Amino acid sequence: QAEVQTSAVGVREAALQAARDLNAHLHLLRPMSRTITVRLQDCGTGSEAVWLDEAAEILLCDEVLESVSRFGEPTVAVARFILAHELGHAVADLFDEPATGSGELEADEFAAVFLIATGLYGQDIAMAARLMQSMAEIPDLVPATAAERQARSEALRCLLDGATAAQNTECGAVFVSARSRWEQRVLIGGPALQ
């Protein structure tokens, strides 16, 4: 399988493929009251991925994928995780779910549980954990602090480890708890959720 190059056209194609991949698994979610649109664009100097509630839209700037590509992770996998993370913010918002902690950690948790539920993308979670770890080593990277990115990396690794570990391990219990929380909230089932 050839990796998409990280040119402006390449990152857009990677993001489109990631959006198609996730769209193919939206049947794992309860029906939503609004249609979510993914907008891919060149944001110039701005570099973000964000859920825009008013527009029911996930905005993914080309620059986000271009900037994280320097860490050597597959662009489609990065885009898939970022979109799943933003989808976590969207479903929490659309289902009026109260935050139980950090919104970013909860969105990561949703992304991990959702990607594992698809039965296809466990490697995306490992990639996201590596990426967060790499990003934690860059002191001036915004918006999160190095400590926040480190915490997100550790949480993602634990969720991934927990998905394959015995339930009596610490990470196994973390994954079972996360899966249960999201099943009750928005997931309706899937290969890894049964």
Side-chain angles (χ1 to χ4, degrees):
Q1 181 177 1
E3 173 57 30
V4 177
Q5 297 301 307
T6 56
S7 64
V9 172
V11 295
R12 186 74 51 88
E13 287 302 316
L16 287 170
Q17 180 60 51
R20 285 191 293 269
D21 292 347
L22 294 183
N23 195 45
H25 293 91
L26 290 181
H27 65 279
L28 297 174
L29 301 177
R30 289 184 187 0
M32 289 182 257
S33 59
R34 297 167 71 189
T35 299
I36 297 172
T37 303
V38 174
R39 181 167 39 116
L40 311 170
Q41 75 178 45
D42 180 349
C43 298
T45 58
S47 178
E48 66 181 338
V50 64
W51 162 244
L52 302 168
D53 176 44
E54 298 272 328
E57 179 176 86
I58 295 171
L59 169 64
L60 177 57
C61 296
D62 294 341
E63 294 83 2
V64 170
L65 296 177
E66 289 167 355
S67 67
V68 298
S69 69
R70 66 184 167 167
F71 296 105
E73 298 295 346
T75 309
V76 173
V78 170
R80 210 168 23 233
F81 183 83
I82 290 170
L83 290 176
H85 170 95
E86 295 306 327
L87 182 60
H89 289 300
V91 298
D93 185 41
L94 294 174
F95 288 105
D96 293 322
E97 291 296 330
T100 58
S102 161
E104 293 307 306
L105 286 171
E106 285 189 346
D108 285 348
E109 179 184 270
F110 170 84
V113 171
F114 180 67
L115 290 168
I116 290 168
T118 67
L120 301 172
Y121 304 120
Q123 71 272 14
D124 292 4
I125 300 146
M127 172 282 310
R130 287 190 309 271
L131 186 60
M132 286 293 172
Q133 179 63 47
S134 296
M135 291 167 60
E137 297 166 10
I138 301 172
D140 60 344
L141 192 64
V142 292
T145 66
E148 290 168 324
R149 288 188 299 277
Q150 178 67 33
R152 288 176 68 187
S153 175
E154 290 170 8
L156 285 168
R157 285 185 196 283
C158 190
L159 284 165
L160 181 59
D161 291 347
T164 58
Q167 292 182 7
N168 62 352
T169 66
E170 183 178 341
C171 286
V174 167
F175 177 75
V176 168
S177 174
R179 182 184 69 192
S180 175
R181 206 170 26 256
W182 285 104
E183 280 179 331
Q184 291 171 6
R185 295 162 85 175
V186 297
L187 292 169
I188 60 173
L193 294 178
Q194 297 180 13

mmCIF file of all heavy atoms in Angstrom, residues 156-180:
data_model
loop_
_atom_site.group_PDB
_atom_site.id
_atom_site.type_symbol
_atom_site.label_atom_id
_atom_site.label_comp_id
_atom_site.label_asym_id
_atom_site.label_seq_id
_atom_site.Cartn_x
_atom_site.Cartn_y
_atom_site.Cartn_z
ATOM 1 N N LEU A 156 -3.747 7.176 25.737
ATOM 2 C CA LEU A 156 -3.991 6.435 24.497
ATOM 3 C C LEU A 156 -3.303 5.084 24.515
ATOM 4 O O LEU A 156 -3.885 4.072 24.104
ATOM 5 C CB LEU A 156 -3.513 7.254 23.292
ATOM 6 C CG LEU A 156 -4.407 8.424 22.909
ATOM 7 C CD1 LEU A 156 -3.705 9.322 21.904
ATOM 8 C CD2 LEU A 156 -5.737 7.933 22.365
ATOM 9 N N ARG A 157 -2.064 5.041 24.979
ATOM 10 C CA ARG A 157 -1.359 3.759 25.078
ATOM 11 C C ARG A 157 -2.100 2.796 25.997
ATOM 12 O O ARG A 157 -2.224 1.607 25.709
ATOM 13 C CB ARG A 157 0.070 3.963 25.576
ATOM 14 C CG ARG A 157 0.999 4.534 24.549
ATOM 15 C CD ARG A 157 2.435 4.583 25.095
ATOM 16 N NE ARG A 157 3.257 5.452 24.304
ATOM 17 C CZ ARG A 157 3.770 5.145 23.119
ATOM 18 N NH1 ARG A 157 3.538 3.986 22.590
ATOM 19 N NH2 ARG A 157 4.512 6.018 22.468
ATOM 20 N N CYS A 158 -2.603 3.310 27.102
ATOM 21 C CA CYS A 158 -3.326 2.466 28.054
ATOM 22 C C CYS A 158 -4.626 1.951 27.421
ATOM 23 O O CYS A 158 -4.965 0.773 27.568
ATOM 24 C CB CYS A 158 -3.608 3.240 29.333
ATOM 25 S SG CYS A 158 -4.240 2.229 30.680
ATOM 26 N N LEU A 159 -5.347 2.815 26.693
ATOM 27 C CA LEU A 159 -6.571 2.371 26.033
ATOM 28 C C LEU A 159 -6.278 1.278 25.012
ATOM 29 O O LEU A 159 -6.987 0.280 24.934
ATOM 30 C CB LEU A 159 -7.274 3.545 25.349
ATOM 31 C CG LEU A 159 -8.019 4.486 26.287
ATOM 32 C CD1 LEU A 159 -8.350 5.788 25.580
ATOM 33 C CD2 LEU A 159 -9.274 3.828 26.829
ATOM 34 N N LEU A 160 -5.213 1.467 24.235
ATOM 35 C CA LEU A 160 -4.857 0.463 23.237
ATOM 36 C C LEU A 160 -4.417 -0.833 23.910
ATOM 37 O O LEU A 160 -4.858 -1.921 23.542
ATOM 38 C CB LEU A 160 -3.753 0.981 22.320
ATOM 39 C CG LEU A 160 -3.309 0.029 21.210
ATOM 40 C CD1 LEU A 160 -4.478 -0.337 20.310
ATOM 41 C CD2 LEU A 160 -2.191 0.637 20.400
ATOM 42 N N ASP A 161 -3.550 -0.712 24.922
ATOM 43 C CA ASP A 161 -3.118 -1.905 25.655
ATOM 44 C C ASP A 161 -4.310 -2.585 26.313
ATOM 45 O O ASP A 161 -4.415 -3.809 26.330
ATOM 46 C CB ASP A 161 -2.085 -1.545 26.733
ATOM 47 C CG ASP A 161 -0.754 -1.096 26.149
ATOM 48 O OD1 ASP A 161 -0.531 -1.299 24.939
ATOM 49 O OD2 ASP A 161 0.050 -0.529 26.912
ATOM 50 N N GLY A 162 -5.208 -1.780 26.854
ATOM 51 C CA GLY A 162 -6.379 -2.323 27.544
ATOM 52 C C GLY A 162 -7.322 -3.061 26.626
ATOM 53 O O GLY A 162 -8.016 -3.993 27.050
ATOM 54 N N ALA A 163 -7.373 -2.667 25.360
ATOM 55 C CA ALA A 163 -8.258 -3.340 24.414
ATOM 56 C C ALA A 163 -7.818 -4.773 24.155
ATOM 57 O O ALA A 163 -8.628 -5.620 23.787
ATOM 58 C CB ALA A 163 -8.308 -2.561 23.099
ATOM 59 N N THR A 164 -6.545 -5.050 24.368
ATOM 60 C CA THR A 164 -6.028 -6.391 24.096
ATOM 61 C C THR A 164 -5.608 -7.120 25.364
ATOM 62 O O THR A 164 -5.224 -8.279 25.303
ATOM 63 C CB THR A 164 -4.816 -6.311 23.143
ATOM 64 O OG1 THR A 164 -3.811 -5.484 23.740
ATOM 65 C CG2 THR A 164 -5.215 -5.736 21.797
ATOM 66 N N ALA A 165 -5.684 -6.432 26.504
ATOM 67 C CA ALA A 165 -5.217 -7.026 27.766
ATOM 68 C C ALA A 165 -6.369 -7.687 28.517
ATOM 69 O O ALA A 165 -7.539 -7.454 28.219
ATOM 70 C CB ALA A 165 -4.595 -5.946 28.644
ATOM 71 N N ALA A 166 -6.016 -8.459 29.477
ATOM 72 C CA ALA A 166 -7.016 -9.046 30.360
ATOM 73 C C ALA A 166 -7.720 -7.928 31.122
ATOM 74 O O ALA A 166 -7.104 -6.916 31.455
ATOM 75 C CB ALA A 166 -6.348 -10.006 31.336
ATOM 76 N N GLN A 167 -8.999 -8.095 31.375
ATOM 77 C CA GLN A 167 -9.772 -7.051 32.038
ATOM 78 C C GLN A 167 -9.303 -6.787 33.462
ATOM 79 O O GLN A 167 -9.610 -5.753 34.028
ATOM 80 C CB GLN A 167 -11.252 -7.410 32.028
ATOM 81 C CG GLN A 167 -11.833 -7.378 30.639
ATOM 82 C CD GLN A 167 -13.320 -7.681 30.640
ATOM 83 O OE1 GLN A 167 -13.949 -7.793 31.669
ATOM 84 N NE2 GLN A 167 -13.870 -7.822 29.453
ATOM 85 N N ASN A 168 -8.560 -7.719 34.041
ATOM 86 C CA ASN A 168 -8.114 -7.500 35.414
ATOM 87 C C ASN A 168 -6.825 -6.691 35.498
ATOM 88 O O ASN A 168 -6.334 -6.437 36.578
ATOM 89 C CB ASN A 168 -7.963 -8.826 36.156
ATOM 90 C CG ASN A 168 -6.913 -9.736 35.527
ATOM 91 O OD1 ASN A 168 -6.393 -9.440 34.456
ATOM 92 N ND2 ASN A 168 -6.617 -10.839 36.188
ATOM 93 N N THR A 169 -6.264 -6.278 34.363
ATOM 94 C CA THR A 169 -5.111 -5.385 34.395
ATOM 95 C C THR A 169 -5.620 -3.952 34.528
ATOM 96 O O THR A 169 -6.783 -3.663 34.232
ATOM 97 C CB THR A 169 -4.261 -5.498 33.107
ATOM 98 O OG1 THR A 169 -5.041 -5.012 32.009
ATOM 99 C CG2 THR A 169 -3.803 -6.925 32.859
ATOM 100 N N GLU A 170 -4.739 -3.055 34.939
ATOM 101 C CA GLU A 170 -5.152 -1.658 35.103
ATOM 102 C C GLU A 170 -5.644 -1.068 33.776
ATOM 103 O O GLU A 170 -6.707 -0.464 33.713
ATOM 104 C CB GLU A 170 -3.997 -0.821 35.657
ATOM 105 C CG GLU A 170 -4.385 0.611 35.911
ATOM 106 C CD GLU A 170 -3.257 1.438 36.511
ATOM 107 O OE1 GLU A 170 -2.307 0.854 37.062
ATOM 108 O OE2 GLU A 170 -3.338 2.674 36.414
ATOM 109 N N CYS A 171 -4.888 -1.270 32.704
ATOM 110 C CA CYS A 171 -5.296 -0.728 31.406
ATOM 111 C C CYS A 171 -6.512 -1.474 30.857
ATOM 112 O O CYS A 171 -7.350 -0.877 30.169
ATOM 113 C CB CYS A 171 -4.136 -0.758 30.418
ATOM 114 S SG CYS A 171 -2.892 0.504 30.776
ATOM 115 N N GLY A 172 -6.622 -2.752 31.151
ATOM 116 C CA GLY A 172 -7.814 -3.498 30.739
ATOM 117 C C GLY A 172 -9.055 -2.906 31.360
ATOM 118 O O GLY A 172 -10.082 -2.717 30.695
ATOM 119 N N ALA A 173 -8.973 -2.564 32.640
ATOM 120 C CA ALA A 173 -10.103 -1.956 33.333
ATOM 121 C C ALA A 173 -10.405 -0.564 32.775
ATOM 122 O O ALA A 173 -11.573 -0.181 32.637
ATOM 123 C CB ALA A 173 -9.810 -1.872 34.830
ATOM 124 N N VAL A 174 -9.353 0.185 32.425
ATOM 125 C CA VAL A 174 -9.544 1.514 31.836
ATOM 126 C C VAL A 174 -10.290 1.397 30.514
ATOM 127 O O VAL A 174 -11.245 2.137 30.251
ATOM 128 C CB VAL A 174 -8.178 2.229 31.636
ATOM 129 C CG1 VAL A 174 -8.318 3.456 30.743
ATOM 130 C CG2 VAL A 174 -7.573 2.599 32.974
ATOM 131 N N PHE A 175 -9.883 0.440 29.668
ATOM 132 C CA PHE A 175 -10.552 0.285 28.381
ATOM 133 C C PHE A 175 -12.000 -0.168 28.562
ATOM 134 O O PHE A 175 -12.908 0.360 27.919
ATOM 135 C CB PHE A 175 -9.820 -0.693 27.466
ATOM 136 C CG PHE A 175 -10.558 -0.901 26.172
ATOM 137 C CD1 PHE A 175 -10.536 0.077 25.193
ATOM 138 C CD2 PHE A 175 -11.308 -2.041 25.955
ATOM 139 C CE1 PHE A 175 -11.252 -0.078 24.015
ATOM 140 C CE2 PHE A 175 -12.025 -2.208 24.780
ATOM 141 C CZ PHE A 175 -11.992 -1.223 23.810
ATOM 142 N N VAL A 176 -12.234 -1.131 29.425
ATOM 143 C CA VAL A 176 -13.600 -1.626 29.648
ATOM 144 C C VAL A 176 -14.490 -0.487 30.141
ATOM 145 O O VAL A 176 -15.627 -0.327 29.692
ATOM 146 C CB VAL A 176 -13.602 -2.817 30.633
ATOM 147 C CG1 VAL A 176 -15.012 -3.152 31.099
ATOM 148 C CG2 VAL A 176 -12.959 -4.029 29.979
ATOM 149 N N SER A 177 -13.971 0.337 31.031
ATOM 150 C CA SER A 177 -14.729 1.471 31.545
ATOM 151 C C SER A 177 -15.030 2.477 30.424
ATOM 152 O O SER A 177 -16.158 2.954 30.292
ATOM 153 C CB SER A 177 -13.939 2.150 32.665
ATOM 154 O OG SER A 177 -14.580 3.323 33.071
ATOM 155 N N ALA A 178 -14.025 2.790 29.617
ATOM 156 C CA ALA A 178 -14.215 3.738 28.508
ATOM 157 C C ALA A 178 -15.210 3.183 27.501
ATOM 158 O O ALA A 178 -16.119 3.892 27.049
ATOM 159 C CB ALA A 178 -12.878 4.029 27.831
ATOM 160 N N ARG A 179 -15.052 1.926 27.137
ATOM 161 C CA ARG A 179 -15.962 1.307 26.174
ATOM 162 C C ARG A 179 -17.391 1.339 26.705
ATOM 163 O O ARG A 179 -18.320 1.713 25.993
ATOM 164 C CB ARG A 179 -15.531 -0.127 25.886
ATOM 165 C CG ARG A 179 -16.424 -0.807 24.853
ATOM 166 C CD ARG A 179 -16.036 -2.232 24.650
ATOM 167 N NE ARG A 179 -16.369 -2.974 25.861
ATOM 168 C CZ ARG A 179 -15.967 -4.202 26.119
ATOM 169 N NH1 ARG A 179 -15.189 -4.839 25.275
ATOM 170 N NH2 ARG A 179 -16.320 -4.813 27.225
ATOM 171 N N SER A 180 -17.564 0.997 27.955
ATOM 172 C CA SER A 180 -18.887 0.984 28.564
ATOM 173 C C SER A 180 -19.509 2.384 28.563
ATOM 174 O O SER A 180 -20.683 2.558 28.228
ATOM 175 C CB SER A 180 -18.789 0.445 29.989
ATOM 176 O OG SER A 180 -20.026 0.540 30.634
#
